[in-house]
Amino acid sequence: MSIVVTGATGHLGRHVVEQLLERVPAEQVTAVVRSPEKAADLAERGVRLAVADYSTPETFDGVFAAGDKVLLISGNEFDKGRVQQHRVVIEAARAAGVALLAYTSAPGTLTAALADDHRGTEKALLDSGVPYVLLRNGWYHEVYTENLAPVLEHDAVVAAAGEGRVSSAARADYAAAAVAVLTGEGHENKTYELGGDEAWSLAEYAAELSRQTGREIAYKPVTVEELTGILAGAGLPEPMAAVFAGVDASIAKGELVVTSGDLARLAGRPTTPLADAVAAALEG
């Protein structure tokens, strides 16, 4: 039996594999990657590599075996039909007779366009009959802390989230939940709503940045249309800019507040505070 992680060299996948290696022998872990060069360090540590691409179904032949536990990390190629890409993995897992397929989805409360592919994938997974876990990941701290350059350049947090709050957590927290599911028992056909312990507003985020930098960083609310224009002006394709601005509209409506406590319970510890993520990003 292998624990198989797709997208294993991505931001979240890396965290998952690293944390798995703390729990199980390396030979029990399979990392599915598109570029084996990016995973050479994992191979050196004894992790099995499988080279496969969501867009090329035949590359998944032989990747899974009966009894495997699989983590399907959602793809990030929004223009390539993500639901169909995910179906490729689900079908290969079904045909192989895997014991469990966990999928990194989005909060059940999220109505933004970003959630559409996740809902489609959830339906495909449930229809497949494969024992599933829906890991409905909330927002990541890193969405904000990895994009500090324009904030610090203009001393402003610009968003269309109004006074809405976000229950974000660190990628490492979501990875810990996935690892708990992949290495534990009794998670079949469960749905977990995952988010950070503390919800915060963009005004509070600006205040935290001000506190840690010693500068006066303001929160500047804008409309969804204005934010779409700003993101497009920064180089994002307009459809993608609209999708991300739409998430801010959902934040304003409270759709990214998660109160289940599932993430801390699965991780076995409190989630990473936003202030810690800010501090790490500023040091980095």
Side-chain angles (χ1 to χ4, degrees):
M1 188 276 285
S2 263
I3 296 174
V4 187
V5 180
T6 73
T9 54
H11 290 304
L12 179 61
R14 274 268 170 195
H15 280 290
V16 173
V17 173
E18 289 293 344
Q19 293 186 39
L20 277 172
L21 292 175
E22 296 171 7
R23 302 274 285 271
V24 300
E27 59 267 22
Q28 289 182 21
V29 179
T30 297
V32 180
V33 299
R34 285 189 297 190
S35 303
E37 301 79 20
K38 291 184 180 176
D41 60 311
L42 299 177
E44 286 171 7
R45 293 160 69 183
V47 173
R48 174 185 165 233
L49 300 188
V51 180
D53 189 313
Y54 294 163
S55 296
T56 315
E58 59 270 21
T59 61
F60 276 91
D61 292 347
V63 169
F64 306 125
D68 283 353
K69 291 183 176 181
V70 179
L71 177 64
L72 169 54
I73 294 179
S74 57
N76 59 6
E77 295 176 314
F78 294 88
D79 57 338
K80 290 194 176 178
R82 290 198 300 167
V83 177
Q84 184 52 42
Q85 287 186 326
H86 298 157
R87 277 202 192 102
V88 165
V89 181
I90 293 166
E91 177 52 31
R94 186 199 62 75
V98 303
L100 188 73
L101 194 156
Y103 171 65
T104 61
S105 192
T109 49
L110 187 65
T111 63
L114 185 71
D116 293 347
D117 288 348
H118 292 300
R119 301 292 163 252
T121 301
E122 288 185 4
K123 183 179 186 308
L125 180 50
L126 268 61
D127 288 348
S128 74
V130 174
Y132 69 86
V133 180
L134 300 182
L135 297 169
R136 287 180 168 167
N137 288 359
W139 224 214
Y140 298 91
H141 290 333
E142 289 87 350
V143 169
Y144 299 97
T145 59
E146 287 182 353
N147 293 288
L148 282 178
V151 174
L152 298 176
E153 182 183 346
H154 300 289
D155 285 334
V157 173
V158 178
E163 297 177 8
R165 304 182 78 76
V166 184
S167 301
S168 68
R171 285 196 190 105
D173 298 331
Y174 293 107
V179 167
V181 163
L182 294 167
T183 59
E185 299 296 333
H187 298 288
E188 292 83 357
N189 305 330
K190 297 275 182 71
T191 297
Y192 295 111
E193 298 287 348
L194 304 177
D197 297 338
E198 298 287 337
W200 49 273
S201 69
L202 273 294
E204 289 168 346
Y205 175 57
E208 182 60 33
L209 285 170
S210 300
R211 186 182 72 79
Q212 293 202 30
T213 60
R215 293 157 58 173
E216 199 162 315
I217 296 174
Y219 171 43
K220 294 190 175 176
V222 295
T223 66
V224 170
E225 293 73 23
E226 286 169 332
L227 182 60
T228 302
I230 290 167
L231 294 173
L236 262 187
E238 186 144 341
M240 279 302 309
V243 166
F244 282 113
V247 173
D248 270 23
S250 285
I251 291 171
K253 292 187 281 188
E255 294 178 3
L256 276 174
V257 173
V258 179
T259 58
S260 66
D262 286 349
L263 183 52
R265 265 196 302 277
L266 283 173
R269 56 171 173 75
T271 61
T272 305
L274 178 66
D276 290 7
V278 168
L282 291 172
E283 284 170 15

